[in-house]
Amino acid sequence: LAKTKSRRQRWEVKPSEMANKTLNPIRAIVDGMKLTPNPDKPMIALSIGDPTVFGNMPTDFAVLQAMKDAIDCQKYNGYAPSVGYLKSRQAVANFYTCPEAPLEAEDVILTSGCSQAIDLAISVLCNPGDNILVPCPGFSLYKTLAVSMGIEVKLYNLLPEKSWEVDLKHLESLIDERTSCLIVTNPSNPCGSVFSEEHLQKILKVASRHCVPILADEIYSNMVFPGCSCPSMASLSSDVPILSCGGLAKRWLVPGWRMGWILIHDRNDIFGSKIRQGLVKLSQRILGACSIIQGALESILNNTPQSFYSDTINFLKTNSEICFNELCTVPGLNPIMPSGAMYLMVGIDMDRFPDFKSDVDFTERLVTEQSVFCLPASAFEYPNFFRIVVTVPEEMMVEACGRIKEFCQHHYCSGSHDSNYLDQ
Amino acid sequence: LAKTKSRRQRWEVKPSEMANKTLNPIRAIVDGMKLTPNPDKPMIALSIGDPTVFGNMPTDFAVLQAMKDAIDCQKYNGYAPSVGYLKSRQAVANFYTCPEAPLEAEDVILTSGCSQAIDLAISVLCNPGDNILVPCPGFSLYKTLAVSMGIEVKLYNLLPEKSWEVDLKHLESLIDERTSCLIVTNPSNPCGSVFSEEHLQKILKVASRHCVPILADEIYSNMVFPGCSCPSMASLSSDVPILSCGGLAKRWLVPGWRMGWILIHDRNDIFGSKIRQGLVKLSQRILGACSIIQGALESILNNTPQSFYSDTINFLKTNSEICFNELCTVPGLNPIMPSGAMYLMVGIDMDRFPDFKSDVDFTERLVTEQSVFCLPASAFEYPNFFRIVVTVPEEMMVEACGRIKEFCQHHYCSGSHDSNYLDQ
Ligand SMILES: Cc1ncc(COP(=O)(O)O)c(C=O)c1O
Ligand SMILES: Cc1ncc(COP(=O)(O)O)c(C=O)c1O
């Protein structure tokens, strides 16, 4: 029998296009940096979005106890349903329900971290060739996921001079027929900003006008400084359907546990049963969160004391103020005071620092000379800024700010050329 | 300013093609069945591939203790690297390394269950338009994942009369230029079969001849009955590169914990750094396993007593024998004795049961009349068989087999027509 099919004659195994298209801008930038700290100064990393690394922000005892109880009872070793145990979904629904945006167990899909929640939400709403609207600066995962799936990313501007509010005109100008989802991150990584109710209403109006559903990344929900309110997007929406993504990672300070969720806030049956079923089907691909954590979830949500949440927030606020107040005094830097989350963005007057080509260059040299590492905001598609994570112990924050100041004073150039003049 | 872009005028949110193409054949079939048990007989489910559901197969105390230690030490609450903690990868490498297929930490990628391991392995090796070779009967997830990614599935036959060995000719006939991966499940779900070393060598030769890399699904590795050996594919391969997928789910009886891994067995640098980097990049999409379980992994692998593994195996073997011996005596049924895993396949002489159109019909009525549920093997693309899960308590197995016998005796029809005659 002659072989008619053409077959391979030699080994040739190449990674798929999807693997090649899976780009992590943070890794791409950081891996290209020469991060050699000054041997005379201990390294201080203000770059890592993991509140647990310094040991100063442990989770609550009640959270740990819930986990140990879930292990001891031996009821949570088997497969959970792919969307999560009903009891655990109910617990999340109870925790987040409100009269303006009621939730029941069936509106909750448990996932492996907020990252999988975002993955499922984009996967169910978008086809290759569609586009999604993503904040700039913004969390890089949206683009990583979308590009790998052949979905176009359109960046809409946030305005630093308006506490990072959305440039609504710009946002609206980007929408076309293939726009299948608007991502809103509130509170924001990397900005630490929190939108007012009024501003959220305006964003909703744009979505409503053009019939674009919203993916609300609310992983930092409730992590807002005292006096600042932060309603969920869904609680303000009367017609825009919203998939709200969240999880335990940030507020409960256990990002490694990979416990996330999608809250389905339909309106006028626009998502309908089809989007729900689509999410259920997608959840069956690899199943979701670890059953032990699911088993502990009800107790975690119900038994974590209020003081834990407020202690966390107060700490983040104090550290943000220390950092902001100190960097405000540094010529050439423009820190922007956050209202929540765990980040603070700092603008760099690049023409005052002729020694450096870019924010990447600036932050690289800050490591070489002062052993302080901040993420250049190019990693968030936002050059000429850097991001500071405010979860480090207070004394480290003070020391780091001192060193940043020294660094800037050393390189600052109050030369006669006026950038405003040149810009005109 | 006139709006030039065409935009949506009304709401129209539809699930993506990927969501629509994510099909779960087990759900599709089971959800379509009318499963109303006989009210006079308590239900016995022999359908669920979850060894924990009856409580008779708890995991080992050492496994639970490892988890509680990982929680108490509070070192595993933060983000792990996307491919897993180095220490945990090292522990897996140490556990599975052997002289013929040495493993180091960097050859191990930790994942959220074996399901994510399979997802990543297919994702890195295959592009839309490629095809993969999948065993028939076989575990349905391969097809679910592949089809959703636009990858074609070609089913190669296993031969029940040869203890489910691969029909090598058929396998080879399916290979073409776009064949990017051969999936081998050993030991097998749903067959419980275990390939001999000789047979594995023959499969490897086919892969080698046509330069097709192997995805070895070895989630049931080491779960073989006494006297039966089960070398890993990689230990027998000198030239075929292999991604071996595994995890804690089955052997350690904790499927809900979602702890899986890929073992990268390269040969002659055929995978090279590119496939490795591709896997790393894909792992960054949603990150992998829960950090607590990763933290417990070294202790789980090193401290689980040998007796736990052998007790599990002995129980599965005894139950398999009870089931096989009993169903052997039932006219019209052809059970096939397994050698490992936790399943047993039973052929149905359909023309002896004219009351039923199909295996789906047969198993549905078995519920209605006898309150025993077995999965029709149509769910594994293999009609006229059903699968029994042998993890149920022994007395349930005995009772269930008695009821299956009664059911078959009731419906068996030793009519004069001879199917062999008709077939000729
Ligand atoms: C805005 C935002 N969304 C989602 C995530 C991912 O959350 P998880 O760790 O639960 O996947 C992060 C993590 O930093 C984040 O900053
Ligand atoms: C052959 C096979 N591979 C993979 C899996 C999935 O394993 P996990 O639960 O670790 O994702 C199963 C589960 O039943 C299986 O039978």
Side-chain angles (χ1 to χ4, degrees):
Chain A
L1 205 101
K3 286 181 189 163
T4 47
K5 281 180 190 148
S6 73
R7 296 178 181 174
R8 254 181 237 108
Q9 308 291 331
R10 57 192 177 75
W11 284 103
E12 192 187 359
V13 181
K14 283 184 299 195
S16 68
E17 276 176 51
M18 190 195 186
N20 288 336
K21 281 194 305 190
T22 300
L23 305 170
N24 181 328
I26 297 187
R27 286 260 61 79
I29 288 176
V30 173
D31 291 350
M33 291 172 83
K34 222 186 95 206
L35 299 174
T36 317
N38 179 342
D40 297 334
K41 303 195 177 197
M43 184 72 176
I44 302 178
L46 301 180
S47 55
I48 313 168
D50 181 340
T52 71
V53 282
F54 298 97
N56 59 319
M57 298 187 82
T59 189
D60 194 72
F61 176 78
V63 175
L64 301 176
Q65 191 57 48
M67 286 288 278
K68 289 198 279 183
D69 292 345
I71 290 169
D72 277 332
C73 81
Q74 298 206 48
K75 282 192 312 190
Y76 305 112
N77 297 333
Y79 287 112
S82 65
V83 292
Y85 294 121
L86 191 65
K87 180 174 93 84
S88 315
R89 296 163 74 197
Q90 185 67 57
V92 174
N94 293 348
F95 194 81
Y96 287 106
T97 195
C98 67
E100 306 77 29
L103 283 171
E104 300 185 8
E106 62 166 19
D107 303 320
V108 177
I109 289 184
L110 301 184
T111 57
S112 182
C114 185
S115 298
Q116 196 196 12
I118 295 167
D119 187 16
L120 294 185
I122 295 177
S123 296
V124 82
L125 293 175
C126 311
N127 282 308
D130 285 356
N131 63 73
I132 62 174
L133 307 172
V134 168
C136 178
F139 182 51
S140 57
L141 182 67
Y142 315 132
K143 185 168 174 180
T144 302
L145 292 173
V147 169
S148 78
M149 301 186 220
I151 297 159
E152 188 195 347
V153 170
K154 295 189 177 190
L155 300 175
Y156 65 83
N157 292 331
L158 305 183
L159 302 168
E161 66 278 15
K162 287 189 159 185
S163 304
W164 301 108
E165 281 193 349
V166 174
D167 180 339
L168 294 162
K169 285 235 173 73
H170 183 232
L171 171 66
E172 191 156 13
S173 75
L174 297 172
I175 298 176
D176 66 22
E177 259 187 329
R178 295 301 299 268
T179 304
S180 49
C181 160
L182 163 57
I183 299 186
V184 179
T185 316
N186 187 47
S188 159
N189 175 11
C191 305
S193 51
V194 180
F195 295 143
S196 67
E197 177 169 332
E198 204 189 346
H199 189 61
L200 288 170
Q201 295 279 18
K202 287 181 184 160
I203 298 171
L204 281 165
K205 281 233 174 69
V206 174
S208 170
R209 200 146 52 226
H210 302 290
C211 303
V212 178
I214 288 180
L215 189 173
D217 183 344
E218 296 179 329
I219 184 78
Y220 299 100
S221 78
N222 298 93
M223 295 185 73
V224 298
F225 299 162
C228 173
S229 90
C230 181
S232 71
M233 281 220 103
S235 70
L236 305 175
S237 167
S238 56
D239 63 337
V240 180
I242 294 174
L243 297 178
S244 168
C245 297
L248 289 186
K250 309 294 178 174
R251 197 170 178 214
W252 288 267
L253 302 171
V254 288
W257 294 8
R258 315 310 302 135
M259 181 74 235
W261 48 72
I262 300 175
L263 312 180
I264 305 172
H265 291 283
D266 202 359
R267 291 293 179 271
N268 308 319
D269 220 28
I270 293 166
F271 283 150
S273 61
K274 286 201 174 154
I275 292 291
R276 288 172 187 273
Q277 279 162 19
L279 286 169
V280 172
K281 285 162 77 177
L282 291 172
S283 76
Q284 294 173 351
R285 294 168 58 94
I286 66 161
L287 311 185
C290 168
S291 51
I292 294 290
I293 298 156
Q294 289 193 39
L297 193 53
E298 184 177 9
S299 169
I300 291 173
L301 296 177
N302 294 340
N303 299 337
T304 302
Q306 212 53 45
S307 59
F308 169 77
Y309 303 124
S310 52
D311 288 353
T312 305
I313 285 298
N314 290 333
F315 173 80
L316 293 170
K317 187 182 182 202
T318 304
N319 245 2
S320 297
E321 282 166 349
I322 290 170
C323 181
F324 177 77
N325 291 335
E326 185 68 11
L327 298 189
C328 266
T329 68
V330 179
L333 294 188
N334 303 302
I336 299 175
M337 182 63 194
S339 309
M342 35 178 76
Y343 312 100
L344 184 155
M345 286 275 274
V346 184
I348 315 167
D349 284 339
M350 288 305 300
D351 28 58
R352 293 294 172 202
F353 297 101
D355 293 350
F356 312 118
K357 300 194 291 292
S358 66
D359 54 321
V360 178
D361 210 14
F362 181 98
T363 50
E364 183 176 285
R365 287 282 289 282
L366 184 55
V367 173
T368 323
E369 296 178 20
Q370 296 287 350
S371 301
V372 172
F373 184 40
C374 305
L375 215 54
S378 287
F380 309 103
E381 313 251 5
Y382 212 75
N384 305 339
F385 274 77
F386 61 90
R387 188 192 71 173
I388 287 178
V389 178
V390 297
T391 57
V392 298
E394 192 176 310
E395 59 283 8
M396 262 195 197
M397 181 57 85
V398 172
E399 167 72 17
C401 288
R403 295 198 209 161
I404 293 171
K405 188 171 198 166
E406 189 178 307
F407 176 81
C408 289
Q409 281 166 347
H410 185 70
H411 293 282
Y412 186 80
C413 191
S414 57
S416 58
H417 73 276
D418 177 353
S419 69
N420 281 333
Y421 172 77
L422 287 176
D423 279 344
Q424 276 156 18
Chain B
L1 204 100
K3 285 182 192 165
T4 48
K5 280 180 192 146
S6 73
R7 296 177 182 174
R8 254 181 236 109
Q9 309 292 331
R10 55 191 178 77
W11 283 102
E12 192 189 358
V13 181
K14 283 185 298 196
S16 68
E17 277 175 51
M18 190 194 185
N20 288 336
K21 281 193 305 190
T22 300
L23 305 170
N24 181 330
I26 298 188
R27 287 260 61 80
I29 287 175
V30 173
D31 291 350
M33 291 172 84
K34 223 187 93 205
L35 299 174
T36 317
N38 179 342
D40 296 335
K41 303 195 178 200
M43 184 73 177
I44 303 179
L46 302 179
S47 55
I48 313 167
D50 182 339
T52 72
V53 281
F54 297 98
N56 59 319
M57 298 186 82
T59 190
D60 194 73
F61 176 76
V63 174
L64 301 177
Q65 191 55 48
M67 286 287 278
K68 289 198 279 183
D69 292 346
I71 291 168
D72 277 331
C73 82
Q74 298 206 47
K75 280 191 315 190
Y76 305 113
N77 296 335
Y79 286 112
S82 66
V83 291
Y85 293 122
L86 191 65
K87 179 174 96 80
S88 316
R89 297 164 73 196
Q90 185 68 56
V92 174
N94 293 347
F95 194 80
Y96 286 106
T97 194
C98 67
E100 305 77 30
L103 284 170
E104 300 185 9
E106 63 166 18
D107 302 319
V108 177
I109 288 184
L110 301 184
T111 57
S112 182
C114 184
S115 298
Q116 196 197 12
I118 295 166
D119 186 18
L120 294 185
I122 295 177
S123 295
V124 82
L125 292 176
C126 311
N127 282 309
D130 286 355
N131 63 74
I132 61 174
L133 307 173
V134 168
C136 178
F139 182 52
S140 57
L141 182 67
Y142 314 133
K143 185 168 173 180
T144 303
L145 292 172
V147 169
S148 78
M149 299 185 220
I151 298 161
E152 189 195 346
V153 170
K154 295 190 177 190
L155 300 176
Y156 66 84
N157 292 330
L158 305 183
L159 302 168
E161 66 279 14
K162 287 190 160 185
S163 303
W164 302 108
E165 281 194 349
V166 174
D167 180 340
L168 295 163
K169 285 233 174 73
H170 183 232
L171 172 66
E172 191 155 13
S173 75
L174 298 172
I175 298 175
D176 66 21
E177 258 187 329
R178 295 301 300 268
T179 304
S180 48
C181 158
L182 161 60
I183 299 187
V184 179
T185 317
N186 189 48
S188 159
N189 175 11
C191 306
S193 51
V194 180
F195 295 144
S196 67
E197 177 169 333
E198 204 188 346
H199 188 62
L200 288 169
Q201 294 280 18
K202 287 180 185 160
I203 299 170
L204 282 164
K205 280 232 175 69
V206 175
S208 170
R209 203 146 48 226
H210 302 291
C211 302
V212 178
I214 288 179
L215 189 172
D217 184 343
E218 297 179 329
I219 183 80
Y220 299 100
S221 78
N222 300 93
M223 296 186 73
V224 297
F225 299 162
C228 173
S229 91
C230 181
S232 72
M233 283 219 102
S235 70
L236 305 175
S237 167
S238 57
D239 63 336
V240 180
I242 295 174
L243 296 178
S244 168
C245 297
L248 289 186
K250 309 294 177 172
R251 196 168 180 216
W252 287 267
L253 301 171
V254 288
W257 293 9
R258 315 309 303 132
M259 180 75 235
W261 47 72
I262 301 176
L263 311 180
I264 305 172
H265 291 283
D266 201 358
R267 293 292 179 270
N268 307 320
D269 219 27
I270 293 166
F271 282 151
S273 61
K274 286 200 173 156
I275 292 291
R276 288 172 187 273
Q277 278 163 19
L279 287 169
V280 172
K281 284 161 79 176
L282 290 172
S283 76
Q284 293 173 351
R285 294 167 59 93
I286 66 161
L287 311 185
C290 167
S291 51
I292 294 291
I293 299 157
Q294 289 193 39
L297 193 52
E298 183 176 10
S299 169
I300 290 174
L301 296 178
N302 295 340
N303 300 337
T304 302
Q306 212 54 44
S307 59
F308 169 77
Y309 303 124
S310 51
D311 288 353
T312 305
I313 284 297
N314 290 333
F315 173 79
L316 293 171
K317 187 182 180 202
T318 303
N319 245 2
S320 297
E321 281 166 349
I322 290 170
C323 180
F324 176 78
N325 291 334
E326 184 68 10
L327 298 189
C328 267
T329 69
V330 179
L333 293 190
N334 304 302
I336 298 175
M337 182 63 195
S339 309
M342 34 178 77
Y343 312 100
L344 184 154
M345 285 275 273
V346 183
I348 315 167
D349 284 338
M350 288 306 300
D351 29 57
R352 294 296 171 199
F353 297 101
D355 293 350
F356 311 118
K357 300 194 293 291
S358 66
D359 55 320
V360 177
D361 212 13
F362 181 99
T363 51
E364 183 175 285
R365 287 283 288 284
L366 184 55
V367 173
T368 321
E369 296 178 20
Q370 297 287 351
S371 302
V372 171
F373 184 40
C374 304
L375 215 53
S378 287
F380 308 103
E381 314 250 7
Y382 212 74
N384 306 338
F385 274 76
F386 60 89
R387 188 194 71 173
I388 288 179
V389 179
V390 297
T391 58
V392 298
E394 192 177 308
E395 59 283 8
M396 261 195 196
M397 181 57 85
V398 172
E399 167 72 17
C401 288
R403 295 198 209 160
I404 293 172
K405 189 172 198 166
E406 190 179 306
F407 176 81
C408 289
Q409 280 165 349
H410 185 70
H411 292 283
Y412 186 79
C413 190
S414 57
S416 59
H417 73 277
D418 177 354
S419 70
N420 280 333
Y421 173 76
L422 287 177
D423 279 344
Q424 277 158 16

